[in-house]
Structure formats: C-alpha cells, structure tokens
Amino acid sequence: MRKLGTIDLEILHLAIKEKGTFNENSLENSELKRHGVGKILDALASLKDRKFISLNKDGSFSITELSREILWSPNIPTWARVLRLLQIKSCNLNQIVDIIGISEDEIIIEIEKLRKNEFLLMSPQRQENKLIKVYEILPDGIYEVDKTETDGFNEIKFDGLKSNGGILEIIDEIKKDVQNISNSNIEKDKIIEKLNNLKNKLEI
C-alpha cells in the first residue's frame, strides 16, 4: 500500500471532511495544530510531492483521486480499507467509522470477518475508566492487503467461520450477569476484561 504517516492521514481525512479542499484556516481549527507548524508544513510538502494533494491558486489544497483510492473510493472493498487504515495506525471502532466514512454496521461485519480470519486483533484498552476495543493489523493482514496491490481484491478467500459450540454466547450471558451484580464498577470491569480476553482467544 502507498505508505502514509499518521499526520498524512490526518491531513487527508481533514480534506475529506472539508469536501475535498482545505486551507490554512481549516488546519488551524483542526486537531492537527497540536503537531506544530514545522511538522505540518513537512507533511504538506511530502503529500504534494507524492501527488496526494494539489496546491490551488488561492493557496488552498485539494485532495487528489490518487489519495481517494487509498481509503475513500467505492472501488476499494470495505475490508481492504479497514486493513489499510490499520496499517497506518491502530484504531477503535469510532475512529474507523469516522475516518473511512462507512456505516458502523457494515464496518462491524467486516471487522468480525477479518478478526476471525486472524487478519486483525482486538485488544480491550482502558481509556478514561472505560474499556475500549482497539483494533490492530496482524502479519497475515499486512500480507493479504499488500498482495492486493498486484493481485487485486478478488483473489482473497476468507475462511469459513469455525463453530464454537455456543461458548461465546455463554460468555456474553456471564458478562450480562456480572453487570447486574452489586460489586463495584472497578471489580466488574476487571471481570469483564478477563471475559473479553477469553472470548478473543476462543472466537477464531
């Protein structure tokens, strides 16, 4: 895949949100300003050199079709967009939905397919006293999505999902029961985190 850094991704995502064109004010009013002027200018120059953005006469920038073909083109299957995104950075579900711009329901279906084929890994992480599912790409996922650069998207064959004998459903029931007990939230979170780890190991 065409390699992008995290700042590159943020800039291109900003362009998508701004309907294809952004300017200095757009950058100033975005989260990008936390990186500092120097890093932003370097990233803009690099993106322009690689023809991922173009400079307009009024000083604004526009995203190119070459960039759209990375994550934002309907010609790219959703599963490939997810893997390409995770090659750049690990993301939670909300970030994936926000960046790629596809419905959460469709993203969830594709994520489950990728996870059960061991192309990505979900790891529960505690953020602001909440357990957040964070997804990262696995070596097999990198191999498969890189292979699409030469072989296209129709060559990949996803394996059938293996039966787990109802174990996952039982774990979900236990999680519901835990939520209803009177223990402290911290204790319940610890139990649920362990159940999620067990579920991830079983659901292949």
Side-chain angles (χ1 to χ4, degrees):
M1 194 197 77
R2 305 175 184 92
K3 300 300 181 182
L4 293 176
T6 54
I7 298 179
D8 297 332
L9 174 64
E10 285 188 64
I11 291 173
L12 296 180
H13 183 216
L14 173 65
I16 291 293
K17 291 192 294 184
E18 295 289 332
K19 299 182 179 179
T21 299
F22 63 98
N23 55 29
E24 185 178 344
N25 289 333
S26 306
L27 292 167
E28 180 63 28
N29 294 326
S30 73
E31 292 293 320
L32 276 157
K33 63 183 178 183
R34 75 186 187 279
H35 296 297
V37 175
K39 285 187 178 180
I40 294 174
L41 290 177
D42 287 345
L44 289 172
S46 175
L47 288 169
K48 182 175 177 294
D49 288 344
R50 288 179 286 165
K51 303 188 185 308
F52 290 156
I53 59 174
S54 59
L55 177 62
N56 302 316
K57 291 181 179 179
D58 62 358
S60 64
F61 294 92
S62 293
I63 192 170
T64 64
E65 287 304 311
L66 188 63
S67 284
R68 292 183 186 274
E69 287 290 329
I70 300 175
L71 293 175
W72 299 285
S73 170
N75 298 325
I76 310 298
T78 302
W79 65 263
R81 296 197 227 180
V82 171
L83 289 181
R84 284 180 171 186
L85 173 58
L86 296 181
Q87 272 190 293
I88 302 169
K89 59 178 289 188
S90 299
C91 297
N92 61 41
L93 178 60
N94 289 339
Q95 290 172 322
I96 295 172
V97 171
D98 179 49
I99 293 171
I100 295 179
I102 296 177
S103 73
E104 181 174 321
D105 289 343
E106 182 176 348
I107 292 290
I108 289 173
I109 291 171
E110 296 301 312
I111 281 177
E112 285 302 297
K113 180 168 65 177
L114 292 167
R115 189 164 65 84
K116 290 172 181 176
N117 281 268
E118 299 186 354
F119 292 164
L120 61 77
L121 173 70
M122 188 280 285
S123 302
Q125 294 185 11
R126 189 174 297 281
Q127 298 176 5
E128 297 179 357
N129 294 323
K130 293 182 180 178
L131 283 177
I132 305 294
K133 294 180 179 179
V134 176
Y135 299 92
E136 58 184 285
I137 194 167
L138 292 172
D140 284 351
I142 295 172
Y143 172 77
E144 290 295 341
V145 75
D146 281 348
K147 195 167 64 173
T148 63
E149 292 291 313
T150 54
D151 297 351
F153 300 103
N154 296 323
E155 295 299 316
I156 184 171
K157 304 297 182 185
F158 290 103
D159 295 332
L161 304 183
K162 300 177 183 178
S163 170
N164 55 67
I167 295 173
L168 301 179
E169 289 76 10
I170 294 172
I171 292 175
D172 286 335
E173 288 297 321
I174 295 173
K175 287 164 63 177
K176 290 179 183 177
D177 291 341
V178 170
Q179 291 286 10
N180 293 328
I181 62 178
S182 59
N183 288 6
S184 71
N185 287 333
I186 294 177
E187 290 175 337
K188 287 193 287 187
D189 284 348
K190 286 182 179 178
I191 296 171
I192 291 174
E193 184 173 1
K194 290 177 181 178
L195 288 170
N196 281 329
N197 288 335
L198 175 61
K199 186 175 180 180
N200 290 334
K201 291 181 183 297
L202 290 170
E203 195 168 1
I204 58 175

